[in-house]
Amino acid sequence: MDKEREIHCFGRCCGFVSSVSCTSCTACGDERSRESPAPAEAQMQAGAEGGGRVSRCCWKCSVTQLKKIFWGVAVVLGVCSSWSGSTQLAKLTFKKFDAPFTLTWFATNWNFLFFPLYYLGHVFKSAEKQSPKQRYRECCRFFGDNGLTLKVFFTKAAPFGVLWTLTNYLYLHAIKKINTTDVSVLFCCNKAFVFLLSWIVLRDRFMGVRIVAAIFAIAGIVMMTYADGFHSHSVIGIALVVGSASMSALYKVLFKLLLGSAKFGEAALFLSVLAVFNVLFVTCIPVILYFTKVEYWSSFDIVPWGNLCGFSILLLTFNILLNFGIAITYPTLISLGIVLSVPVNAVVDHYTSEIVFNSVRVIAIVIIGLGFLLLLLPEEWDVWVIKLLTRLKVRKKEELPEGNGDVTSGLPNKSRRTRPSMSSFAH
């Protein structure tokens, strides 16, 4: 009974309703008062000790949540700054080095660092240390019982390598055509595309609010196109970034369909394998583009290696936070970092380019951002809202009789409180 009472008090203190009711605690106190009537001081001391244990439990709970929120804010700032920083740096790089596919290839090669960085984290954090070979073999089980074979490489890794390259190339090519604000806000539509593809391909649960969010995304795309008057240059740029968002959505849905969910080590290995695919099979394309002078530079001395490395580091940081940030904070906070990059890019564009924030563009940005936020709602959000409203109504009904009882009881009620009862200390 003592344990049940502590569970109930902890439940009330932390904001949820426990299945143990107060009546059981009262009955427990009554039974003990009949069996062994203890002094009031002993009961008060026991109640104080129980309250101390409850307060310590709630303090640990609140400290854990505060730490998670603190790390969440740090991750949000990291995602926002790395994503907007890589976008702005890519725009700056193209003024000196007009080669979006070569930049995509160069940045993708840095994905090879995912698994080594994960292994370093494993060595520092895990109690049971494993050698790199042992850890590699364990993570290879993600690809099947036989591990990462040549057949698995071409059937389960190569298609995602192509989608990864297309997503980044189309995004970077769009930056050449339109401003970074439009690119970043239009790329937020990929979450709506993920929902639509998941609903069609994976047969995910239908949610009306997400359909509304998808409509907002499509309406925002049309309005963004209209903002510049349907000029060919802007239409091509918008089509490129929408294509990039579509490839990103297809990547995520196919990953869930073919591979399912991955642990941290498995995800790190998979991203490193994509870098291997990029080196082995995509390297020929920048070479061909160079010799055909589609992406040509006269000398390697004029290549802005600092910009290329800076862009690659920012993109690698963004992907690390996006894939492994859920270990220290809430996934919703990580997604907020992406949409917060839009106002950051807007401020930078305002001072560095000739962007015009007319009413149509502003409305389009707001609509797409609102659709993105609606897609962050959990699947059971409507059930939670109903439970919250029901709980508030019940609490109001409980407070009204208590208030009336205190007013009408008057002096007799005070006299009853002056005489300590054994059952009253059992709560």
Side-chain angles (χ1 to χ4, degrees):
M1 285 295 183
D2 288 338
K3 188 177 291 185
E4 289 179 350
R5 186 167 65 256
E6 289 174 16
I7 292 171
H8 172 70
C9 295
F10 177 74
R12 291 188 61 181
C13 183
C14 292
F16 63 89
V17 178
S18 175
S19 59
V20 183
S21 62
C22 285
T23 55
S24 63
C25 298
T26 306
C28 175
D30 291 339
E31 287 176 5
R32 278 201 302 271
S33 64
R34 287 193 297 267
E35 291 173 2
S36 57
E41 290 80 3
Q43 291 286 347
M44 292 177 66
Q45 186 178 358
E49 290 177 358
R53 286 194 295 269
V54 171
S55 61
R56 284 196 296 271
C57 291
C58 292
W59 172 252
K60 289 180 181 179
C61 181
S62 60
V63 168
T64 303
Q65 290 178 345
L66 284 174
K67 284 182 179 179
K68 210 165 187 179
I69 292 172
F70 171 78
W71 282 112
V73 173
V75 170
V76 166
L77 294 176
V79 169
C80 177
S81 57
S82 60
W83 185 236
S84 57
S86 63
T87 302
Q88 292 295 331
L89 193 56
K91 186 81 171 180
L92 187 64
T93 303
F94 291 145
K95 295 179 180 179
K96 304 176 182 178
F97 185 71
D98 189 8
F101 196 92
T102 304
L103 182 58
T104 301
W105 172 84
F106 183 81
T108 305
N109 290 335
W110 287 62
N111 279 11
F112 186 79
L113 296 174
F114 267 102
F115 190 74
L117 290 174
Y118 161 75
Y119 182 74
L120 288 176
H122 163 74
V123 170
F124 283 109
K125 297 290 290 183
S126 180
E128 298 180 0
K129 304 294 188 295
Q130 291 180 324
S131 66
K133 191 174 183 180
Q134 289 175 329
R135 198 65 194 158
Y136 170 78
R137 287 179 176 176
E138 185 173 333
C139 293
C140 277
R141 296 175 186 172
F142 172 67
F143 295 100
D145 296 333
N146 297 325
L148 184 59
T149 61
L150 195 62
K151 180 182 178 181
V152 169
F153 180 81
F154 283 106
T155 56
K156 293 187 177 181
F160 294 100
V162 174
L163 289 174
W164 180 282
T165 302
L166 285 174
T167 299
N168 288 279
Y169 170 68
L170 293 174
Y171 185 86
L172 292 175
H173 199 69
I175 292 175
K176 289 176 54 182
K177 302 290 184 181
I178 56 178
N179 57 75
T180 57
T181 303
D182 293 351
V183 172
S184 57
V185 72
L186 287 169
F187 190 78
C188 290
C189 295
N190 77 317
K191 208 163 184 66
F193 299 157
V194 169
F195 163 69
L196 293 174
L197 285 174
S198 300
W199 181 39
I200 296 169
V201 178
L202 302 177
R203 305 294 181 183
D204 279 3
R205 176 188 170 189
F206 174 82
M207 290 182 63
V209 68
R210 293 188 177 178
I211 288 293
V212 173
I215 294 172
F216 281 176
I218 296 170
I221 293 170
V222 175
M223 292 184 69
M224 191 66 74
T225 309
Y226 178 75
D228 287 330
F230 292 97
H231 297 300
S232 59
H233 206 66
S234 62
V235 170
I236 292 173
I238 291 170
L240 287 170
V241 71
V242 170
S244 174
S246 302
M247 293 297 105
S248 174
L250 186 60
Y251 175 98
K252 294 175 182 178
V253 173
L254 284 180
F255 188 93
K256 190 174 181 180
L257 179 66
L258 299 178
L259 299 173
S261 59
K263 299 177 182 177
F264 293 121
E266 296 166 349
L269 178 62
F270 182 80
L271 292 169
S272 295
V273 169
L274 295 186
V276 174
F277 170 82
N278 186 68
V279 172
L280 294 178
F281 298 100
V282 185
T283 304
C284 59
I285 298 179
V287 175
I288 294 171
L289 294 176
Y290 175 79
F291 284 107
T292 55
K293 296 190 176 181
V294 176
E295 292 186 359
Y296 180 77
W297 53 96
S298 58
S299 172
F300 281 93
D301 294 333
I302 66 170
V303 176
W305 294 107
N307 288 4
L308 265 66
C309 292
F311 171 79
S312 302
I313 291 172
L314 287 173
L315 194 61
L316 178 67
T317 303
F318 170 76
N319 285 307
I320 289 174
L321 293 174
L322 203 65
N323 287 279
F324 305 120
I326 57 174
I328 56 176
T329 188
Y330 305 101
T332 303
L333 290 177
I334 300 174
S335 299
L336 284 177
I338 299 174
V339 74
L340 287 177
S341 66
V342 176
V344 174
N345 285 321
V347 171
V348 175
D349 284 345
H350 177 72
Y351 289 103
T352 59
S353 65
E354 299 178 354
I355 185 173
V356 178
F357 288 100
N358 52 33
S359 58
V360 178
R361 175 173 272 111
V362 172
I363 293 172
I365 292 173
V366 171
I367 286 176
I368 294 176
L370 182 61
F372 186 90
L373 294 176
L374 287 176
L375 288 165
L376 295 181
L377 292 174
E379 290 187 359
E380 304 295 334
W381 71 275
D382 51 344
V383 178
W384 292 356
V385 171
I386 293 172
K387 286 183 178 179
L388 179 62
L389 293 175
T390 305
R391 191 174 298 173
L392 290 174
K393 289 180 180 178
V394 170
R395 187 171 295 178
K396 285 183 179 180
K397 289 180 180 178
E398 289 177 351
E399 289 175 355
L400 286 174
E402 289 177 0
N404 294 333
D406 290 341
V407 172
T408 56
S409 58
L411 292 173
N413 191 30
K414 289 183 179 179
S415 64
R416 282 196 300 269
R417 284 200 296 268
T418 56
R419 294 192 298 270
S421 172
M422 296 301 170
S423 63
S424 63
F425 292 108
H427 285 280

